[in-house]
Amino acid sequence: MEFNFKGRDIINGYDFTTQELCHIMDTAMIYEKRVKSGEAIKDCEGMLVATLFFEPSTRTRLSFNSAIQRVGASTIDLGNASVSSQAKGETWQDTLRTVDGYVDAIVMRHPQDGSAIEAAEIAQHPLINGGDGKRQHPTQALLDIYTIRKELGHIGGQTITFLGDLKYGRTVHSLGYFMQQFGNKMIFASPDELKMPEDITKDLRSKGADITETSDVREALRQSDLVYVTRVQRERFPDEESYLRCKGSYILDRKMVMETNPNITIMHPLPRVDEIATDVDTLPGAAYFRQAHNGMYLRMALLGLVTGRI
Ligand code: CP
């Protein structure tokens, strides 16, 4: 099958066919092998990619910066607000319009819901959404399915529990669509205040997703092949009081894993605060740091594909 990703914006988790998802994962796997073999990759030599992060990030920003250089391209980074003309009141739209004239592709994260859609309309070059508000984080969800396939040996027909802040956690908003496409059953386990937004659950069900909603974390773990934990997204709460009500409402620790499902695979987009106890880290199923590492290969694949160099 022929795929054409050249010039394409990466905005939502629901913009890909299942064949395209498999092609992206296969491309990431090839890059992983090439990097591990010590090859100096030059696929995107001569290209320049900008990273514009209007919101804090470690993994997305640095794995993109690593991926850009590892495919042979060069990168420029906007830096934080104090060193750019944001400090003089420039709008993000004007910043983007300007940078679009310098580069061949742009990675952007912004706290505003829907900013990625607006950005893609402004930019002439491919726009990759590194997270827009509480809406979508498609490159995270792509690296998540790549990790699920590696950790479980295949993807499809499994039961996945999403545990935690499903309301504000944009990674699960994107990942839910991929799980539906691969025919994975989903269990949404969260406190009532942090339930998956109804429009997303409804949309997923209308596409045929098998979803159970529960607050019984132990039973969800017993029934699952994999648990995907998210942190309480403090920065997205309307006020501190609502955050404090939810803070610490679920914590996965080693004892709970051993008592319910010792073989379960555990993922988390990171950063974590306290929702996975550090005594879980040494369990064989604790995949979250491997997951973060996979992000670099997946982002190399995306860069190669949207620039049309592979
Ligand atoms: N998972 C993720 O998006 O991490 P960062 O916020 O550190 O980029």
Side-chain angles (χ1 to χ4, degrees):
M1 189 177 283
E2 279 296 305
F3 297 96
N4 188 4
F5 282 91
K6 188 176 176 182
R8 187 158 154 183
D9 302 311
I10 307 294
I11 304 296
N12 302 301
Y14 45 76
D15 289 343
F16 304 91
T17 65
T18 309
Q19 287 83 2
E20 285 174 338
L21 294 177
C22 290
H23 181 63
I24 295 169
M25 288 190 281
D26 291 345
T27 308
M29 189 180 64
I30 292 167
Y31 271 126
E32 180 167 354
K33 284 185 182 148
R34 290 174 69 186
V35 170
K36 287 182 174 168
S37 76
E39 181 185 342
I41 299 166
K42 295 188 165 56
D43 293 347
C44 296
E45 196 168 30
M47 294 212 130
L48 187 55
V49 182
T51 49
L52 310 182
F53 281 73
F54 297 94
E55 194 180 66
S57 167
T58 296
R59 275 145 291 273
T60 312
R61 188 168 53 86
L62 294 183
S63 69
F64 260 117
N65 273 300
S66 311
I68 291 163
Q69 294 175 66
R70 285 198 181 268
V71 292
S74 303
T75 179
I76 54 168
D77 182 77
L78 180 66
N80 68 40
S82 65
V83 299
S84 74
S85 287
Q86 287 174 83
K88 302 174 201 158
E90 183 171 57
T91 64
W92 68 264
Q93 290 92 339
D94 282 356
T95 303
L96 174 69
R97 244 177 230 111
T98 305
V99 174
D100 188 40
Y102 303 152
V103 298
D104 303 293
I106 297 167
V107 180
M108 187 180 105
R109 170 176 287 187
H110 195 280
Q112 186 185 309
D113 288 4
S115 50
I117 298 167
E118 188 181 342
E121 281 164 11
I122 293 171
Q124 302 296 306
H125 294 104
L127 190 290
I128 302 177
N129 179 9
D132 62 331
K134 61 183 179 305
R135 222 181 58 86
Q136 292 274 315
H137 193 349
T139 69
Q140 176 69 45
L142 288 164
L143 79 87
D144 291 340
I145 56 171
Y146 183 56
T147 303
I148 292 171
R149 195 172 78 166
K150 280 176 70 179
E151 294 288 329
L152 300 184
H154 71 284
I155 185 164
Q158 293 122 345
T159 301
I160 313 287
T161 284
F162 290 173
L163 170 64
D165 182 353
L166 311 185
K167 180 176 180 181
Y168 297 115
R170 58 192 171 199
T171 63
V172 288
H173 298 169
S174 297
L175 186 58
Y177 285 93
F178 293 168
M179 294 299 91
Q180 179 272 320
Q181 277 178 269
F182 285 103
N184 274 348
K185 186 172 177 232
M186 288 175 268
I187 303 177
F188 295 164
S190 65
D192 246 16
E193 273 191 71
L194 300 178
K195 277 175 74 171
M196 183 70 88
E198 206 177 313
D199 59 320
I200 296 182
T201 309
K202 211 167 148 190
D203 191 33
L204 287 168
R205 284 198 170 119
S206 76
K207 294 176 193 297
D210 181 346
I211 297 169
T212 307
E213 293 185 271
T214 184
S215 52
D216 186 344
V217 177
R218 286 176 173 268
E219 189 49 34
L221 294 175
R222 273 187 209 102
Q223 292 178 21
S224 298
D225 300 287
L226 186 147
V227 59
Y228 189 100
V229 187
T230 63
R231 118 191 117 84
V232 178
Q233 311 275 311
R234 182 180 196 157
E235 66 276 23
R236 310 216 186 279
F237 277 75
D239 53 68
E240 186 70 2
E241 198 186 310
S242 342
Y243 165 69
L244 292 173
R245 263 201 313 276
C246 297
K247 180 180 176 288
S249 53
Y250 56 91
I251 292 177
L252 188 72
D253 61 16
R254 191 181 186 99
K255 185 164 175 279
M256 190 190 280
V257 175
M258 297 314 283
E259 285 174 359
T260 55
N261 189 347
N263 296 320
I264 197 165
T265 299
I266 303 156
M267 289 175 54
H268 188 308
L270 302 177
R272 80 172 141 187
V273 181
D274 59 3
E275 58 283 351
I276 299 182
T278 51
D279 64 5
V280 174
D281 295 359
T282 49
L283 289 175
Y288 27 95
F289 290 106
R290 296 193 287 276
Q291 179 184 356
H293 181 77
N294 289 335
M296 187 178 75
Y297 305 118
L298 194 287
R299 287 169 173 136
M300 289 175 77
L302 278 181
L303 290 163
L305 289 166
V306 302
T307 56
R309 289 290 183 92
I310 54 165

